[in-house]
Amino acid sequence: DQQVKQNSPSLSVQEGRISILNCDYTNSMFDYFLWYKKYPAEGPTFLISISSIKDKNEDGRFTVFLNKSAKHLSLHIVPSQPGDSAVYFCAASARGKLIFGQGTELSVKP
Amino acid sequence: DAGVIQSPRHEVTEMGQEVTLRCKPISGHNSLFWYRQTMMRGLELLIYFNNNVPIDDSGMPEDRFSAKMPNASFSTLKIQPSEPRDSAVYFCASRAGWAGELFFGEGSRLTVL
């Protein structure tokens, strides 16, 4: 049973526009959420995180929103750049255990 | 500083053979995780350790898989016997403490023929 779901396998956006990546979770015990970015043939790298006591966290072009009642989080990238093209994984943590979603492949076209 | 180091980067083996994947976590990190990346399930947690002790191995697919962490600087994931459906990229990750971000290695790509 997939506790963290990313229902869009891929997303294509134009350079300069906003990219919105979505993630849903089922376990209300999750208390910390993270986004990772992965390039081909490399390991995932940490991008941004949010605690369950917050509903928004911003870091430069990246903003993560958390809607606990809907068990939904999203990552906004604005403006999108070609170098942002990668696979993005959301992850949720409870008691130290970190569960990842299936990933969304973002393609930013010039 | 060196990151998480995994070996081998690539392994091609035949069905039935034993496979051992190795991981050296970042020095000072006391939590270590093994994940498997597949198209269908994304990054699937197999097992994680805290202070060298296995905390949760509920993601280990079956008895053919085993993982050990004999000391703070080394862990292995073993598959015996291997099967074609085990073909995937296996990632090791570590972190300091009980919470926060994980630091991943570059992965070991396993192909079982």
Side-chain angles (χ1 to χ4, degrees):
Chain A
D1 118 44
Q2 195 82 15
Q3 296 186 61
V4 178
K5 295 182 183 180
Q6 294 176 256
N7 293 317
S8 298
S10 62
L11 175 67
S12 182
V13 300
Q14 207 69 31
E15 180 179 7
R17 306 296 289 268
I18 185 171
S19 296
I20 300 176
L21 297 105
N22 294 302
C23 179
D24 297 295
Y25 61 95
T26 57
N27 189 346
S28 58
M29 296 298 291
F30 288 138
D31 56 8
Y32 193 66
F33 303 87
L34 307 91
W35 284 94
Y36 278 76
K37 177 179 180 179
K38 184 184 179 306
Y39 292 118
E42 294 183 9
T45 55
F46 171 75
L47 194 55
I48 192 169
S49 63
I50 188 167
S51 165
S52 61
I53 62 173
K54 294 186 175 182
D55 55 17
K56 177 182 175 181
N57 188 28
E58 191 171 350
D59 183 2
R61 297 185 298 113
F62 303 90
T63 303
V64 56
F65 294 92
L66 176 62
N67 182 335
K68 281 182 291 184
S69 61
K71 294 191 175 66
H72 178 84
L73 66 155
S74 61
L75 174 68
H76 293 209
I77 307 173
V78 56
S80 301
Q81 300 173 354
D84 296 330
S85 297
V87 177
Y88 289 78
F89 290 95
C90 69
S93 176
R95 297 192 194 175
K97 184 174 180 175
L98 201 56
I99 306 295
F100 283 80
Q102 304 96 314
T104 296
E105 183 171 10
L106 173 65
S107 175
V108 180
K109 301 192 182 303
Chain B
D1 284 342
V4 175
I5 299 172
Q6 292 187 245
S7 65
R9 290 295 311 277
H10 302 275
E11 174 92 5
V12 180
T13 191
E14 293 191 345
M15 183 173 64
Q17 296 298 305
E18 178 179 293
V19 173
T20 299
L21 307 178
R22 298 172 177 81
C23 176
K24 177 178 168 54
I26 293 173
S27 177
H29 283 189
N30 61 347
S31 292
L32 183 141
F33 293 69
W34 282 100
Y35 288 89
R36 176 171 68 176
Q37 183 185 8
T38 61
M39 290 297 293
M40 289 298 295
R41 299 181 68 86
L43 281 168
E44 182 183 11
L45 176 62
L46 301 177
I47 185 171
Y48 75 101
F49 297 82
N50 188 257
N51 292 325
N52 311 337
V53 176
I55 303 300
D56 188 326
D57 66 353
S58 60
M60 296 287 261
E62 46 196 278
D63 292 346
R64 298 184 296 107
F65 285 69
S66 62
K68 293 182 180 179
M69 192 164 185
N71 58 61
S73 59
F74 184 65
S75 177
T76 59
L77 178 67
K78 188 172 291 187
I79 308 172
Q80 166 63 20
S82 57
E83 296 182 3
R85 60 191 167 126
D86 301 330
S87 298
V89 181
Y90 292 80
F91 288 100
C92 175
S94 70
R95 74 176 172 210
W98 193 244
E101 64 175 285
L102 292 182
F103 293 82
F104 281 81
E106 295 187 311
S108 294
R109 179 175 292 277
L110 173 64
T111 302
V112 183
L113 304 175

